[in-house]
mmCIF file of all heavy atoms in Angstrom:
data_model
loop_
_atom_site.group_PDB
_atom_site.id
_atom_site.type_symbol
_atom_site.label_atom_id
_atom_site.label_comp_id
_atom_site.label_asym_id
_atom_site.label_seq_id
_atom_site.Cartn_x
_atom_site.Cartn_y
_atom_site.Cartn_z
ATOM 1 N N LEU A 106 8.977 3.177 -6.069
ATOM 2 C CA LEU A 106 7.918 2.671 -6.827
ATOM 3 C C LEU A 106 8.077 2.491 -8.343
ATOM 4 O O LEU A 106 7.982 1.534 -9.036
ATOM 5 C CB LEU A 106 6.569 3.406 -6.558
ATOM 6 C CG LEU A 106 5.309 3.115 -7.234
ATOM 7 C CD1 LEU A 106 4.794 1.686 -6.921
ATOM 8 C CD2 LEU A 106 4.192 4.071 -7.111
ATOM 9 N N ILE A 107 8.569 3.661 -8.909
ATOM 10 C CA ILE A 107 8.846 3.720 -10.434
ATOM 11 C C ILE A 107 10.122 2.788 -10.708
ATOM 12 O O ILE A 107 10.018 2.047 -11.683
ATOM 13 C CB ILE A 107 9.102 5.290 -10.815
ATOM 14 C CG1 ILE A 107 7.921 6.035 -10.674
ATOM 15 C CG2 ILE A 107 9.719 5.264 -12.139
ATOM 16 C CD1 ILE A 107 8.123 7.472 -10.569
ATOM 17 N N LYS A 108 11.181 2.802 -9.923
ATOM 18 C CA LYS A 108 12.333 2.077 -10.185
ATOM 19 C C LYS A 108 11.946 0.606 -10.147
ATOM 20 O O LYS A 108 12.356 -0.228 -11.031
ATOM 21 C CB LYS A 108 13.353 2.348 -9.164
ATOM 22 C CG LYS A 108 14.602 1.470 -9.222
ATOM 23 C CD LYS A 108 15.689 1.710 -8.142
ATOM 24 C CE LYS A 108 15.207 1.181 -6.727
ATOM 25 N NZ LYS A 108 15.244 -0.207 -6.595
ATOM 26 N N ASN A 109 11.156 0.110 -9.182
ATOM 27 C CA ASN A 109 10.737 -1.235 -9.001
ATOM 28 C C ASN A 109 9.831 -1.699 -10.155
ATOM 29 O O ASN A 109 9.880 -2.798 -10.572
ATOM 30 C CB ASN A 109 10.184 -1.508 -7.584
ATOM 31 C CG ASN A 109 11.306 -1.352 -6.530
ATOM 32 O OD1 ASN A 109 12.455 -1.548 -6.968
ATOM 33 N ND2 ASN A 109 10.953 -1.067 -5.306
ATOM 34 N N TYR A 110 8.939 -0.719 -10.592
ATOM 35 C CA TYR A 110 8.172 -1.107 -11.791
ATOM 36 C C TYR A 110 8.980 -1.341 -13.026
ATOM 37 O O TYR A 110 8.878 -2.339 -13.698
ATOM 38 C CB TYR A 110 7.012 -0.029 -12.124
ATOM 39 C CG TYR A 110 6.448 -0.369 -13.395
ATOM 40 C CD1 TYR A 110 5.566 -1.414 -13.548
ATOM 41 C CD2 TYR A 110 6.953 0.390 -14.481
ATOM 42 C CE1 TYR A 110 5.074 -1.747 -14.899
ATOM 43 C CE2 TYR A 110 6.385 0.150 -15.813
ATOM 44 C CZ TYR A 110 5.489 -0.926 -15.987
ATOM 45 O OH TYR A 110 5.042 -1.297 -17.176
ATOM 46 N N LEU A 111 9.867 -0.436 -13.286
ATOM 47 C CA LEU A 111 10.832 -0.638 -14.312
ATOM 48 C C LEU A 111 11.675 -1.922 -14.239
ATOM 49 O O LEU A 111 11.907 -2.524 -15.320
ATOM 50 C CB LEU A 111 11.794 0.631 -14.509
ATOM 51 C CG LEU A 111 11.090 1.976 -14.852
ATOM 52 C CD1 LEU A 111 12.015 3.118 -14.794
ATOM 53 C CD2 LEU A 111 10.383 1.762 -16.135
ATOM 54 N N PHE A 112 12.108 -2.254 -13.131
ATOM 55 C CA PHE A 112 12.768 -3.588 -12.897
ATOM 56 C C PHE A 112 11.869 -4.784 -13.337
ATOM 57 O O PHE A 112 12.336 -5.693 -13.987
ATOM 58 C CB PHE A 112 13.184 -3.735 -11.325
ATOM 59 C CG PHE A 112 13.599 -5.075 -10.975
ATOM 60 C CD1 PHE A 112 14.837 -5.447 -11.155
ATOM 61 C CD2 PHE A 112 12.751 -6.033 -10.403
ATOM 62 C CE1 PHE A 112 15.399 -6.681 -10.829
ATOM 63 C CE2 PHE A 112 13.228 -7.217 -9.962
ATOM 64 C CZ PHE A 112 14.445 -7.580 -10.227
ATOM 65 N N LEU A 113 10.713 -4.672 -12.802
ATOM 66 C CA LEU A 113 9.788 -5.763 -13.193
ATOM 67 C C LEU A 113 9.497 -5.836 -14.695
ATOM 68 O O LEU A 113 9.427 -6.813 -15.284
ATOM 69 C CB LEU A 113 8.388 -5.554 -12.490
ATOM 70 C CG LEU A 113 7.186 -6.597 -12.736
ATOM 71 C CD1 LEU A 113 7.599 -7.938 -12.077
ATOM 72 C CD2 LEU A 113 5.979 -6.079 -12.150
ATOM 73 N N GLU A 114 9.226 -4.676 -15.308
ATOM 74 C CA GLU A 114 8.881 -4.604 -16.662
ATOM 75 C C GLU A 114 10.171 -5.136 -17.470
ATOM 76 O O GLU A 114 9.923 -5.906 -18.428
ATOM 77 C CB GLU A 114 8.670 -3.118 -17.096
ATOM 78 C CG GLU A 114 8.364 -2.948 -18.568
ATOM 79 C CD GLU A 114 8.182 -1.494 -18.915
ATOM 80 O OE1 GLU A 114 9.172 -0.706 -18.555
ATOM 81 O OE2 GLU A 114 7.120 -1.244 -19.481
ATOM 82 N N ASP A 115 11.318 -4.699 -17.121
ATOM 83 C CA ASP A 115 12.625 -5.251 -17.845
ATOM 84 C C ASP A 115 12.640 -6.746 -17.641
ATOM 85 O O ASP A 115 12.997 -7.483 -18.696
ATOM 86 C CB ASP A 115 13.765 -4.515 -17.316
ATOM 87 C CG ASP A 115 15.064 -5.006 -17.964
ATOM 88 O OD1 ASP A 115 15.052 -4.795 -19.320
ATOM 89 O OD2 ASP A 115 15.947 -5.662 -17.346
ATOM 90 N N LYS A 116 12.426 -7.296 -16.483
ATOM 91 C CA LYS A 116 12.451 -8.707 -16.165
ATOM 92 C C LYS A 116 11.595 -9.474 -17.044
ATOM 93 O O LYS A 116 11.928 -10.452 -17.781
ATOM 94 C CB LYS A 116 12.270 -8.978 -14.636
ATOM 95 C CG LYS A 116 12.472 -10.320 -14.265
ATOM 96 C CD LYS A 116 12.208 -10.454 -12.804
ATOM 97 C CE LYS A 116 12.751 -11.704 -12.282
ATOM 98 N NZ LYS A 116 14.256 -11.855 -12.423
ATOM 99 N N TYR A 117 10.272 -9.034 -17.091
ATOM 100 C CA TYR A 117 9.220 -9.842 -17.821
ATOM 101 C C TYR A 117 9.316 -9.664 -19.271
ATOM 102 O O TYR A 117 8.921 -10.599 -20.096
ATOM 103 C CB TYR A 117 7.991 -9.506 -17.323
ATOM 104 C CG TYR A 117 7.409 -10.417 -16.224
ATOM 105 C CD1 TYR A 117 7.844 -10.281 -14.879
ATOM 106 C CD2 TYR A 117 6.775 -11.659 -16.413
ATOM 107 C CE1 TYR A 117 7.624 -11.084 -13.882
ATOM 108 C CE2 TYR A 117 6.426 -12.546 -15.435
ATOM 109 C CZ TYR A 117 6.901 -12.231 -14.182
ATOM 110 O OH TYR A 117 6.497 -13.189 -13.213
ATOM 111 N N MET A 118 9.945 -8.492 -19.809
ATOM 112 C CA MET A 118 9.995 -8.329 -21.160
ATOM 113 C C MET A 118 11.023 -9.323 -21.825
ATOM 114 O O MET A 118 10.961 -9.589 -23.007
ATOM 115 C CB MET A 118 10.454 -6.891 -21.524
ATOM 116 C CG MET A 118 9.434 -5.882 -21.392
ATOM 117 S SD MET A 118 9.916 -4.257 -21.620
ATOM 118 C CE MET A 118 10.599 -4.160 -23.326
ATOM 119 N N HIS A 119 11.944 -9.840 -21.092
ATOM 120 C CA HIS A 119 12.980 -10.712 -21.514
ATOM 121 C C HIS A 119 12.733 -12.198 -21.338
ATOM 122 O O HIS A 119 13.478 -13.015 -21.790
ATOM 123 C CB HIS A 119 14.338 -10.338 -20.900
ATOM 124 C CG HIS A 119 14.821 -8.965 -21.397
ATOM 125 N ND1 HIS A 119 14.624 -7.856 -20.708
ATOM 126 C CD2 HIS A 119 15.436 -8.621 -22.523
ATOM 127 C CE1 HIS A 119 15.151 -6.891 -21.280
ATOM 128 N NE2 HIS A 119 15.602 -7.285 -22.437
ATOM 129 N N PHE A 120 11.591 -12.570 -20.773
ATOM 130 C CA PHE A 120 11.205 -14.007 -20.617
ATOM 131 C C PHE A 120 10.864 -14.640 -21.865
ATOM 132 O O PHE A 120 10.098 -13.910 -22.706
ATOM 133 C CB PHE A 120 10.277 -14.203 -19.484
ATOM 134 C CG PHE A 120 10.593 -14.131 -18.079
ATOM 135 C CD1 PHE A 120 9.888 -13.467 -17.139
ATOM 136 C CD2 PHE A 120 11.812 -14.771 -17.657
ATOM 137 C CE1 PHE A 120 10.270 -13.444 -15.923
ATOM 138 C CE2 PHE A 120 12.190 -14.742 -16.392
ATOM 139 C CZ PHE A 120 11.435 -13.995 -15.416
#
Side-chain angles (χ1 to χ4, degrees):
L106 175 63
I107 294 166
K108 175 185 74 73
N109 292 333
Y110 167 73
L111 292 172
F112 168 83
L113 178 72
E114 181 183 53
D115 182 63
K116 183 176 198 65
Y117 269 85
M118 283 177 59
H119 291 95
F120 281 136

